[in-house]
Amino acid sequence: MAGLMSGFGCFTHAVMRAAPRSLARDALRSGGQEVDLLKVQEEHEEYASVLKHRLGLEVLELPADEAMPDCVFVEDAAVVCGDTALVSRPGAPSRRRETEAMKSALTELGLNVVEMTDESATLEGGDVLFTGREFFVGLSKRTNQRGAEILADTFKDYAVSTVPVQGALHLKSFCSMAGPGLIAIGSSEAAQKALKIMQQMSDHKYDKLTLPDDSAANCIYMNLPGKGDVLLHCTPEEFPESAKVFEKLKDHMLIPVTNQEKAKVDGGLTCCSVLINKKKNI
Amino acid sequence: MAVLSSGRPLVLRVPGVMTTEVGSETDVKKEPEKVPEVQQHTEQPDKPADSTASASSDPPQEESRSAEAGSDQEATASPEPSSPPAAGGQKKDKGISRFLPPWLKRQKSQSQDKPGESAAPPKQESEEVVKEDQEETSQPKEQEEDGGGAEHSEEVKEAREEVQPEEKEKDEEKSIGSADTQPVREEKEGESEVKESDEKEENEEEKKEEEEKEEQQVVQQEASVPSTLKLNKKMKMVVCHVTLLDGSQFSCEVEKRAKGQYLFFQVCDHLNLLEKDYFGLSFKDNAEQRCWLDPTKEIKRQTRNSQWQFSFSVKFYPPDPSQLTEDITRYLLCLQLRQDIASGRLPCSFVTHALLGSYTLQAELGDHDPEEHRLDYISDFQFAPNQTKELEEKVVELHKSHRGMTPAQADAQFLENAKKLSMYGVDLHHAKDSEGVDIMLGVCANGLLIYKDRLRINRFAWPKILKISYKRSNFYIKIRPGEAEQFESTVGFKLPNHKAAKRVWKVCVEHHTFFRLVSPEQPTKTKFLTLGSKFRYSGRTQAQTRQASSLIDRPAPYFQRTSSKRISRSLDGAPVVNVSDYSQAAGAGENGPALELNSDSKSPQVEVVEKPNADAATSIASETAFETDDASERKSKLRVQGENIYVRHSNLMLEDLDKTQEDVLKHQASISELKRSFMEATPEPRPSQWDKRLTGSPATSLRLQAQGSLEEELTSLFLSKACFSGLAGSCSTAAAPAEASQGSAQPEVPQKSPPHPGTDSRDASQSTEVKPEVNGQPEVVEVVEETVVIEEVVKAKPKSPVPEASFTIETEVKEERSLSSDSESEEEAEYHAQPPSTSVSVQQIKEEPEEEQEAVLTQQAPPPAIESQPSAEAAEPEPAAEEEKAAQPREEEHTDEPPLTPDEAPNGHAPQHQAPPTPQTAAAEEEEPLIVNGSASRLETDHLPQVICCSEPPVVKTEMVTISDTFAAQKTEISTKEVPIVHTETKTITYEAAQLDGNGDGEPGVLMTAQTITSESLCTTTTTHITKTLKGGLSETRIEKRIVITGDSDIDHDQALAQAIKEAKEQHPDMSVTRVVVHKETELAEDDD
């Protein structure tokens, strides 16, 4: 840690979790679409491969648990910032136990693990947008005020602002960070409204990258040594218009990653990994 | 007059600031200032207002000076007293001093006492004057005292004179050239020692004097009031205990009636602190609540029953500590933050606690020494509210990694990390929201934060806040409506009690002023009327203190880090031996600047009023007339403005509503017609057009280059709705007005004729907008104007594969309000937030590019509509009157609604001007005279052509036009001088001129704040510039909206434009639309080729 809030996008490790067979049938979804498990697993492997081989991250892959059909979406189970990890309490009761494996994994990685024990609190990582300077927590069906408070207690250095989320599962269903100070945002009314709120709540100025498709606004930004700005984003096959927008980011290493199948169960790119920076630069 | 006066004070201030830093020199400075001032006075012999008048109200700077001068004359008869130093000066100057205005004398005295605060006290005093008038009975006594005091002062002077002669010379130099002040200081430092004793005496006297002044509330009188009286009386001394940031105690004796400022400066001197504006003294009131000691008020009145026990602490946390000039300042900030962290006020994570703690160790102990530093070596330090062994170990671990870091570096690192903490510099107050839910109000540099538990649930940046007020235990903020919102809203919070509400309010006022304004808001003249708190932040703003700090030129001061007693080696060099000298000097220096400010603020308004009226009324635009109705009327009006602005607006709104539909339709029709005409019109070779324009405007050639392929505005429509409270009913659409305005304006135009190339409408307009704001604009109290300038820029690039057409709609909404936000009883008070000025240009520049980018991303324009706009361009730009004329006829044809009739308005108002007996009117008048004296030409320069060019569909008032002219002239002048880029400016200027109309005073205002907000929707980008200028105690808020509609020909521009206008009206229901300019820019293939 060269200092507070430095090194946004620097990651050394990633925690992932394999997709259980039960995902195809039992995973929560808003669309009610059929999911091809094989395709999900293919996507998952591609994803892991990019992190491991293309980007050189150390990927810790947790085994799937058939009792937890949504367990592949590890992002919701924990929020990691710096050396501190907050193990969340997912709003969906069926997902509560996903945190157990996550907690042990994070502990194993040497992080300062904080658990959300309050029975009244719910929080899923998909509702947590960390911009490098502050947190925005979406208040959704899965995340409540109390959960946000605990997050604020856990990461005291940062401002934590709440953003009502409507018409989407998670806050990050339509936005994410596409670079330092750059927010990728969908074009839907809900997304734009949320962005306005975030802009009003923040002391910092953010640029925005507006994407025609809300789902495409969920991307993964990293800043890796030797590679510079890296952006994992949607493929042209899924969102041709949005992909064009990403392609205008000339300074980024752009890596399209397929997410077609997981999207059917409301999974975005960010959902499938918890990124960790274990280097201690202090 | 106004121009001159305002201008001079500013200039003086700068030097003053310099001098203030110098410190001990104050006495000397005063003298030098006096000399120059004397000259001024000679110039203004007319003005010497009645002492009584001056007492009643102080017009800004010059006026005050003149008034003071008058008083001085009187004073000379009855010695001035106030400050012994002044007396010294007087002796030397005696011959001259008699002629010199009293205010000069004052400055001297004030400078010594109140360096930093000087600006504020005058304001307050003036404000107080009104209230205190009731109390004025005491005045006669004072005068008597003055007589006695004068004698004393003379004696004192003599004693001092011996020492001072050299100093005086030096001081004079300083006063003349601010830049020189520092070097002079050094020289003076030696002198300062000698003088110190004198200064002390003086300070005491000054304090007394100040107190007296407050009581008496007559500034002039105050000046005249001799300190001698005090000397005569036995001074009751009180011992003050101040807890310093390092935990040590500082005690000093203070005269019982001393003001907070005196004690504060004593402490700062003790600490050898120059950058003191970030700090303050606080005390616990009877309810154990921490209160800030108001430097401008007597200590005893604030502490009441509580003990004279204070804490020295950081009041304004600098957002970027690295911009502080001196290490000692950073060190003190570090000490404060360590306290904040240890107490839990500034929450941080474990890691941050450890990191900050390690920097603390490095700064205090130096490199980690394994032998000397065992684990318990840090037990004396508290790094966190709950310090654990684990934390200490971590701190030590990190401490080891800082090897080689100097204390100053470690402090800097500490601050670099601490400043990023989300609660850094946030002053929290418990409150409840409208539903009774417990929340916290956090006041910080950027605005007001609302927390529920630890979560930020809302944030109101200063630019978003129109007004801050409190009533009983309620605290209110009036919020500027967002894009999607139609009405401004008021948010109320319930505080535990009245005191708490007032405390929050004060903190907000102070933070807003310090961080957002360039200079402190001047006291509102309207205060006379209001009973509410007149409290304003009187110290220097961050901008001012930074400027002052940049002039600090002393060797890095020596200071001890208490915990380790380690001598701080600043990176700059070795510790300085002459600590005491420096400190004194510093204090004095600060005082100096403050004094200057005070003088400005204090200047009695009344005198000014008397003089100028006739001249101003006649020569100057009728704007003032509007403002100055009968005195009685004015008062009532002022009240209305201060408190009932909303009502007025609502009236306006009603008018608008009545007309809206029709007007809108008309607008649309006119716009569409214009469009068509442009479309149809055979595109002239642009060069020719340009040439024409160029002939009109000098800068043309440059513009042409800059413009490049861009095309100019097709049409400019001014929808100016001038709403005056009185006039509102009279609003009518006059067909001819525009022409009339032209006629009057045109002659003038050539002079100024700033080139207004229409080419880069965006850039130019933006730049121009900014400039006017920066310059400072006069404000008409009563007149509330909103200017909506809508520019449509249609860019068509035929050849380019993807041609784009863009509409730029600029909507300018001007709101002129009386600054007097203060209101009612002490139970309640208002404060109108003003936007900041300085940074505007930068922001705008930044924003523009963003817009473009966005446009590209969101809308990749479909097939371009190729439109040739040759003729249209000319319309707005002032440069060629001919062009404008040409444009007008077109517009008129299209638009059924007649343009404004400038003449009528002015006439109607003019009579009013002359009438004004009341102080308020005086203020307004003051502005006028200034204009007349200084710059008649400016007024003339106004860009009438612009006005002409625009067809005004809705109700246009001639009044507005005249006003705008004056403004434009002022702005144009400024812009030309200040702005490097002529081309864009020119264009902009035109707009501004039209926009400016409302101001009319002709006096240059002081730009208080300016902000730019950019928002986007699918095909429109809205850039909102909000500026608040202070003029003669009146504040004007001007909102200029630029709406850029970008898109292909497919887009219904008319509809978009109509919608934009509609939205603008909705968003600012309390403002009136004064102008709408529509620019269409079409990028033609021809151009490109």
Side-chain angles (χ1 to χ4, degrees), chain B residues 84-340:
Chain B
Q90 292 177 351
K91 286 184 177 179
K92 294 179 179 178
D93 295 347
K94 275 189 177 179
I96 299 172
S97 64
R98 295 178 183 175
F99 300 97
L100 295 179
W103 60 271
L104 294 175
K105 298 175 182 178
R106 291 180 187 174
Q107 288 180 347
K108 293 177 180 179
S109 63
Q110 292 175 352
S111 64
Q112 294 173 349
D113 292 347
K114 315 176 175 178
E117 299 172 354
S118 61
K123 295 178 180 179
Q124 293 178 347
E125 291 178 356
S126 63
E127 296 176 357
E128 292 177 356
V129 172
V130 175
K131 294 180 179 178
E132 293 176 354
D133 289 342
Q134 299 173 351
E135 300 175 355
E136 289 178 356
T137 56
S138 64
Q139 293 179 350
K141 295 178 180 178
E142 294 177 355
Q143 294 176 351
E144 294 175 359
E145 292 177 357
D146 293 349
E151 295 174 357
H152 293 286
S153 63
E154 291 178 356
E155 294 175 357
V156 176
K157 292 176 182 178
E158 292 175 356
R160 292 180 182 177
E161 286 178 356
E162 297 174 355
V163 179
Q164 294 177 347
E166 295 176 355
E167 296 177 355
K168 289 180 179 178
E169 295 175 356
K170 293 179 180 179
D171 291 342
E172 292 177 355
E173 294 175 356
K174 292 179 179 179
S175 65
I176 296 171
S178 62
D180 298 346
T181 55
Q182 293 178 346
V184 177
R185 293 177 184 174
E186 295 177 356
E187 295 176 359
K188 293 178 180 178
E189 291 175 354
E191 298 175 355
S192 64
E193 296 176 355
V194 176
K195 295 177 181 179
E196 290 175 355
S197 62
D198 293 333
E199 291 179 355
K200 291 180 180 178
E201 296 176 356
E202 293 176 356
N203 291 339
E204 294 175 355
E205 293 176 355
E206 291 175 356
K207 292 177 182 178
K208 294 178 181 178
E209 293 176 356
E210 291 176 355
E211 294 175 356
E212 293 177 356
K213 290 179 181 179
E214 290 179 354
E215 296 175 356
Q216 296 174 350
Q217 294 178 346
V218 177
V219 177
Q220 296 175 349
Q221 292 179 353
E222 291 178 358
S224 64
V225 176
S227 59
T228 55
L229 294 175
K230 300 174 182 177
L231 294 176
N232 294 340
K233 299 176 182 177
K234 290 182 180 178
M235 307 197 312
K236 293 183 180 179
M237 302 302 288
V238 177
V239 177
C240 294
H241 301 281
V242 180
T243 304
L244 303 179
L245 286 169
D246 60 7
S248 64
Q249 288 285 326
F250 169 75
S251 299
C252 72
E253 268 198 341
V254 171
E255 204 273 326
K256 193 176 180 183
R257 296 174 67 191
K259 290 184 178 180
Q261 174 173 307
Y262 175 79
L263 177 60
F264 179 66
F265 287 138
Q266 290 296 312
V267 175
C268 290
D269 282 355
H270 172 72
L271 292 171
N272 198 14
L273 174 65
L274 290 186
E275 295 175 285
K276 59 184 83 163
D277 299 296
Y278 300 96
F279 301 84
L281 292 176
S282 64
F283 61 95
K284 294 277 182 69
D285 67 7
N286 296 331
E288 285 300 301
Q289 293 295 316
R290 193 176 80 150
C291 303
W292 289 106
L293 187 67
D294 188 333
T296 63
K297 294 181 180 172
E298 288 183 22
I299 298 171
K300 72 172 182 186
R301 289 192 179 181
Q302 301 180 63
T303 56
R304 301 290 178 180
N305 299 328
S306 52
Q307 298 178 339
W308 290 52
Q309 172 72 49
F310 306 93
S311 295
F312 178 82
S313 43
V314 175
K315 189 173 188 182
F316 304 111
Y317 290 74
D320 186 1
S322 66
Q323 290 194 26
L324 295 174
T325 299
E326 295 200 302
D327 288 338
I328 190 174
T329 315
R330 270 187 288 272
Y331 168 68
L332 292 172
L333 179 57
C334 281
L335 291 178
Q336 175 71 63
L337 289 168
R338 288 173 198 163
Q339 269 184 27
D340 293 346

Side-chain angles (χ1 to χ4, degrees), chain A residues 1 3-5 83 133 145 148-149 152-153 156-162 200-203 207-208 248 282, chain B residues 347-349 351-352 355 398 417 420-422 446 452-459 850 854 856-857 860 1016:
Chain A
M1 299 202 21
L4 195 56
M5 304 178 194
D83 293 343
R133 298 301 307 267
Q145 180 96 8
E149 286 173 21
D153 282 343
K156 288 180 182 165
D157 292 350
Y158 301 96
V160 178
S161 304
T162 55
Q200 182 190 331
M201 301 276 268
S202 175
D203 296 324
D207 295 325
K208 67 176 182 180
K248 291 181 179 175
I282 290 179
Chain B
C348 19
S349 65
V351 174
T352 303
L355 184 64
L398 294 173
N417 284 279
K420 295 175 184 169
L421 296 168
S422 72
N446 294 323
K452 183 180 177 185
D453 296 313
R454 279 128 293 191
L455 296 176
R456 185 184 291 182
I457 58 173
N458 214 336
R459 171 179 176 270
E850 293 179 357
E854 292 178 357
V856 175
L857 292 177
Q860 295 177 346
E1016 296 181 357

Side-chain angles (χ1 to χ4, degrees), chain B residues 307-495:
Chain B
Q307 298 178 339
W308 290 52
Q309 172 72 49
F310 306 93
S311 295
F312 178 82
S313 43
V314 175
K315 189 173 188 182
F316 304 111
Y317 290 74
D320 186 1
S322 66
Q323 290 194 26
L324 295 174
T325 299
E326 295 200 302
D327 288 338
I328 190 174
T329 315
R330 270 187 288 272
Y331 168 68
L332 292 172
L333 179 57
C334 281
L335 291 178
Q336 175 71 63
L337 289 168
R338 288 173 198 163
Q339 269 184 27
D340 293 346
I341 291 169
S343 66
R345 258 200 312 267
L346 180 57
C348 19
S349 65
F350 175 85
V351 174
T352 303
H353 277 136
L355 184 64
L356 295 178
S358 67
Y359 287 125
T360 297
L361 287 186
Q362 183 68 26
E364 297 288 352
L365 305 179
D367 292 346
H368 179 77
D369 183 344
E371 295 179 359
E372 180 184 351
H373 295 160
R374 296 166 198 158
L375 193 52
D376 59 351
Y377 79 106
I378 59 170
S379 56
D380 293 340
F381 293 89
Q382 188 175 7
F383 305 112
N386 302 314
Q387 189 159 324
T388 62
K389 202 71 182 173
E390 185 187 7
L391 176 62
E392 292 182 355
E393 290 171 357
K394 186 73 176 175
V395 169
V396 173
E397 177 188 334
L398 294 173
H399 179 203
K400 294 174 184 173
S401 69
H402 300 323
R403 182 167 298 280
M405 199 177 278
T406 67
Q409 286 173 324
D411 282 345
Q413 284 299 314
F414 179 95
L415 294 175
E416 280 306 296
N417 284 279
K419 77 176 186 187
K420 295 175 184 169
L421 296 168
S422 72
M423 298 305 288
Y424 172 85
V426 178
D427 188 11
L428 287 177
H429 301 260
H430 286 281
K432 291 181 191 293
D433 66 10
S434 57
E435 296 173 353
V437 177
D438 284 318
I439 57 171
M440 298 286 278
L441 302 179
V443 184
C444 67
N446 294 323
L448 183 64
L449 303 169
I450 315 297
Y451 295 92
K452 183 180 177 185
D453 296 313
R454 279 128 293 191
L455 296 176
R456 185 184 291 182
I457 58 173
N458 214 336
R459 171 179 176 270
F460 302 100
W462 294 130
K464 257 290 220 187
I465 298 177
L466 290 170
K467 190 174 80 177
I468 309 166
S469 59
Y470 71 95
K471 187 169 186 177
R472 299 193 189 90
S473 62
N474 295 307
F475 172 71
Y476 302 99
I477 54 175
K478 189 150 108 181
I479 307 302
R480 190 184 306 281
E483 289 183 29
E485 300 157 352
Q486 300 184 1
F487 304 101
E488 56 192 22
S489 55
T490 297
V491 182
F493 304 97
K494 179 83 173 173
L495 281 102

Side-chain angles (χ1 to χ4, degrees), chain A residues 60-77:
Chain A
L60 176 61
E61 179 133 12
L62 306 176
D65 187 331
E66 293 300 330
M68 296 176 241
D70 291 301
C71 69
V72 68
F73 302 121
V74 291
E75 175 188 51
D76 293 324

Side-chain angles (χ1 to χ4, degrees), chain A residues 41-254:
Chain A
Q41 289 172 337
E42 281 177 17
E43 287 175 4
H44 197 65
E45 283 175 19
E46 178 198 353
Y47 188 109
S49 172
V50 166
L51 295 185
K52 272 190 250 181
H53 304 115
R54 187 101 185 255
L55 301 177
L57 298 186
E58 197 166 313
V59 177
L60 176 61
E61 179 133 12
L62 306 176
D65 187 331
E66 293 300 330
M68 296 176 241
D70 291 301
C71 69
V72 68
F73 302 121
V74 291
E75 175 188 51
D76 293 324
V79 177
V80 177
C81 180
D83 293 343
T84 302
L86 173 64
V87 175
S88 67
R89 187 170 181 276
S94 66
R95 303 191 60 185
R96 294 269 159 79
R97 290 184 53 234
E98 292 178 22
T99 59
E100 296 170 2
M102 178 58 68
K103 179 189 170 190
S104 58
L106 295 173
T107 305
E108 200 171 302
L109 285 169
L111 294 173
N112 172 30
V113 175
V114 178
E115 277 191 277
M116 191 175 285
T117 55
D118 190 326
E119 293 291 325
S120 66
T122 63
L123 180 135
E124 294 189 0
D127 278 317
V128 179
L129 177 66
F130 178 63
T131 69
R133 298 301 307 267
E134 62 191 316
F135 285 96
F136 293 104
V137 178
L139 298 181
S140 65
K141 293 174 182 172
R142 303 289 185 83
T143 300
N144 64 19
Q145 180 96 8
R146 182 67 190 134
E149 286 173 21
I150 293 174
L151 182 125
D153 282 343
T154 305
F155 302 104
K156 288 180 182 165
D157 292 350
Y158 301 96
V160 178
S161 304
T162 55
V163 183
V165 174
Q166 291 173 338
L169 177 63
H170 285 141
L171 175 63
K172 282 198 280 190
S173 296
F174 51 71
C175 69
S176 64
M177 296 307 291
L182 177 62
I183 296 178
I185 188 74
S187 298
S188 71
E189 195 175 332
Q192 292 296 323
K193 190 176 175 186
L195 177 67
K196 275 195 176 178
I197 292 173
M198 289 192 283
Q199 286 174 329
Q200 182 190 331
M201 301 276 268
S202 175
D203 296 324
H204 308 289
K205 279 278 184 183
Y206 294 105
D207 295 325
K208 67 176 182 180
L209 181 67
T210 305
L211 299 155
D213 308 288
D214 274 8
S215 298
N218 183 289
C219 58
I220 299 175
Y221 168 80
M222 288 186 244
N223 184 2
L224 301 177
K227 298 185 175 60
D229 295 329
V230 178
L231 197 64
L232 278 59
H233 62 84
C234 64
T235 61
E237 290 74 22
E238 295 171 73
F239 302 107
E241 293 302 319
S242 294
K244 286 180 188 173
V245 176
F246 281 118
E247 285 162 6
K248 291 181 179 175
L249 298 173
K250 301 298 184 188
D251 296 335
H252 288 56
M253 173 192 278
L254 298 172

Side-chain angles (χ1 to χ4, degrees), chain A residues 20-29 33-35 37 69 265:
Chain A
R21 290 191 301 277
S22 58
L23 180 148
R25 203 191 63 202
D26 297 330
L28 301 172
R29 70 202 75 184
Q33 300 182 60
E34 289 293 324
V35 175
L37 181 63
V265 285

Side-chain angles (χ1 to χ4, degrees), chain B residues 40 43 53 85 130 166 170 283 320 418 445 450 517 626 643 684 687 853 870-871 1073 1086:
Chain B
Q40 294 177 354
E43 294 176 357
V130 175
E166 295 176 355
K170 293 179 180 179
F283 61 95
D320 186 1
I450 315 297
L517 300 187
F626 294 100
E643 301 175 358
E684 301 173 359
Q853 293 176 354
S871 62
V1073 177
E1086 299 174 357

